[in-house]
């Protein structure tokens, strides 16, 4: 009989989980930051290696799970209370808060999550409300040495919040479909500013004071066109006076435009809000190397370029 051969010991199967588990902690913290917070916390059941990794992720995504039809704030209130209590106080790169519906009782919770994000030194903060209506953020100053980008959708913003003097690292705020309840947006650190389809019901213009701005997008503003202060470093500007602009000539519907020198129409009289001779738009965007200026309502743009 032929001599028996020794059976080779087969190597244990290598799984994807083993490869991922072998990664250093900081890489796993980063990977978990791409998951919704609910899914990131659930990874604690994968094994001892994963038990506490979720507590130090570099990002928080407070968003809908794939199998959720509608994501409401109340669905996560208790969960977030526990997460805030148990999470390590490590720095966050990103916080993303997106949901479909909210009630008035939910507003303090969202404000609390936002404040904790700032306290955890977040660099990029996103807050998107997907249903009609505005969620009111607290009228408190943002105080952060780390916040770089701010992305807001369908929130109501008050005066103190829009004074970014206490955020010296803030470079790029975006506001889309927001309600601006303030007479001023100010910061010396801003480089890129986007205000799209926002509204202000005030009879006074919102003054935008950002002397270091490099690019500006102002589109579809509902209300009186914001007054742009001097932006000497501006390179590119896109200003679109949409059909919700309240600076339209009062005779627009009749097809007869007053013109900038006709005192019969208060919207065409060349006097600014404070009675001065400051320009509404031209003073801010005149230094732009690339300028796109549009009007969707037949407005005589020269009224805004010179005075209102």
């Amino acid at each position: 009989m032929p001599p028996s051969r020794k059976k080779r010991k087969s190597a244990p199967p290598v799984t994807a989980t083993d490869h991922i588990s072998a990664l250093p902690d900081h890489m796993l913290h980063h990977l978990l930051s791409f998951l919704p917070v609910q899914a990131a916390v659930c990874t604690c059941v994968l094994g001892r290696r994963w038990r506490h990794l979720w507590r130090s992720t570099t990002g928080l995504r407070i968003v809908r799970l794939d199998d959720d039809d509608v994501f409401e704030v109340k669905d996560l209130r208790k969960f977030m209370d526990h997460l805030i209590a148990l999470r390590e106080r490590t720095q966050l790169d990103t916080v993303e808060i997106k949901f479909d519906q909210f009630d008035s009782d939910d507003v303090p919770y969202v404000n609390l999550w936002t404040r904790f994000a700032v306290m955890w030194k977040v660099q990029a903060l996103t807050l998107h409300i997907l249903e009609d209506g505005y969620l009111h953020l607290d009228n408190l100053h943002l105080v952060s040495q780390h916040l770089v980008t701010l992305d807001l959708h369908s929130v109501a913003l008050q005066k103190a919040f829009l004074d970014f003097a206490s955020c010296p690292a803030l470079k790029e705020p975006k506001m889309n479909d927001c309600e601006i309840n303030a007479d001023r947006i100010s910061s010396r650190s801003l480089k890129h500013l986007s205000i799209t389809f926002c509204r202000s019901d005030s009879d006074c213009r919102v003054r935008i004071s950002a002397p270091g701005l490099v690019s500006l997008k102002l589109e579809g503003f509902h209300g009186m066109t914001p007054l742009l202060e001097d932006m000497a470093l501006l390179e590119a500007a896109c200003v679109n006076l949409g059909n919700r602009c309240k600076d339209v000539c009062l005779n627009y519907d009749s097809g007869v435009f007053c013109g900038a020198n006709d005192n019969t129409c208060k919207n065409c009289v060349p006097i600014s809000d404070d009675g001065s001779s400051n320009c509404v738009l031209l003073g801010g965007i005149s230094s732009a190397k690339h300028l796109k200026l549009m009007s969707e309502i037949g407005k005589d743009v020269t009224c805004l370029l010179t005075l209102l």
Side-chain angles (χ1 to χ4, degrees):
M1 295 181 62
S4 60
R5 294 182 179 178
K6 292 183 179 179
K7 291 184 178 180
R8 284 186 177 180
K9 291 183 179 180
S10 58
V14 178
T15 65
T17 304
D18 290 329
H19 283 302
I20 295 175
S21 297
L23 294 174
D25 282 359
H26 73 275
M27 293 186 68
L28 293 177
H29 293 155
H30 181 65
L31 289 174
L32 290 179
S33 69
F34 292 97
L35 297 176
V37 287
Q38 309 95 306
V41 172
C42 285
T43 60
C44 67
V45 302
L46 295 177
R48 182 174 305 211
R49 174 81 168 84
W50 295 83
R51 186 172 300 172
H52 300 293
L53 287 173
W54 64 270
R55 299 177 63 186
S56 301
T57 60
T58 58
L60 294 178
R61 297 189 68 238
I62 307 171
V63 299
R64 173 210 307 262
L65 287 171
D66 291 339
D67 55 354
D68 286 344
D69 294 329
V70 177
F71 179 43
E72 302 182 37
V73 176
K74 64 181 180 182
D75 297 335
L76 268 189
R77 285 178 4 184
K78 288 185 178 179
F79 177 89
M80 288 300 299
D81 285 345
H82 287 91
L83 184 142
I84 289 172
L86 296 174
R87 187 185 182 278
E88 298 290 343
R89 299 303 186 254
T90 54
Q91 183 170 332
L92 286 167
D93 295 334
T94 61
V95 170
E96 183 180 347
I97 305 173
K98 292 183 178 180
F99 50 86
D100 301 307
Q101 298 178 0
F102 71 95
D103 297 322
S104 57
D105 293 342
D106 298 323
V107 176
Y109 287 88
V110 178
N111 275 281
L112 179 66
W113 302 344
T114 303
R115 293 293 160 181
F116 267 102
V118 174
M119 186 181 73
W120 289 331
K121 302 178 180 179
V122 66
Q123 296 181 42
L125 175 60
T126 297
L127 174 57
H128 284 195
I129 316 301
L130 303 181
E131 73 163 11
D132 293 334
Y134 301 108
L135 185 142
H136 286 254
L137 290 181
D138 291 336
N139 190 24
L140 298 172
H141 286 90
L142 272 179
V143 180
S144 173
Q145 302 292 317
H146 306 273
L147 187 64
V148 177
T149 63
L150 180 64
D151 188 351
L152 304 173
H153 179 89
S154 291
V155 296
L157 306 169
Q158 312 299 318
K159 181 176 181 179
F161 188 94
L162 291 171
D163 179 2
F164 298 125
S166 298
C167 296
L170 184 62
K171 306 295 183 191
E172 188 174 352
K174 297 179 181 178
M175 305 170 209
N176 181 56
D177 191 24
C178 291
E179 183 180 77
I180 298 177
N181 300 310
D183 57 2
R184 192 176 187 86
I185 299 173
S186 60
S187 171
R188 302 191 67 83
S189 64
L190 300 190
K191 297 299 181 184
H192 310 281
L193 175 62
S194 176
I195 301 176
T196 54
F197 306 104
C198 294
R199 68 178 297 136
S200 172
D201 294 327
S202 173
D203 292 332
C204 297
R205 299 185 188 282
V206 178
R207 301 178 73 96
I208 299 178
S209 177
L213 212 62
V214 175
S215 69
L216 169 70
K217 184 175 184 180
L218 178 62
E219 181 176 359
F221 195 83
H222 188 173
M224 298 184 70
T225 304
L227 191 154
L228 307 180
E229 296 186 358
D230 183 41
M231 302 172 181
L233 302 179
L234 194 66
E235 295 183 2
C238 176
V239 179
N240 185 351
L241 305 178
N243 54 18
R244 299 186 296 175
C245 171
K246 289 187 178 180
D247 290 312
V248 64
C249 172
L250 296 182
N251 292 323
Y252 171 72
D253 291 334
S254 67
V256 179
F257 300 102
C258 297
N261 297 318
D262 192 328
N263 292 337
T264 61
C265 173
K266 69 176 183 179
N267 281 0
C268 291
V269 175
I271 300 175
S272 59
D273 299 325
D274 57 3
S276 69
S277 60
N278 290 330
C279 298
V280 174
L281 294 177
L282 190 58
I285 62 177
S286 59
S287 63
K289 299 176 182 177
H290 305 280
L291 174 61
K292 190 174 184 179
L293 182 60
M294 298 171 289
S295 174
E296 298 177 5
I297 53 177
K299 172 68 183 176
D300 184 358
V301 177
T302 57
C303 294
L304 286 174
L305 286 177
T306 54
L307 285 178
L308 278 174

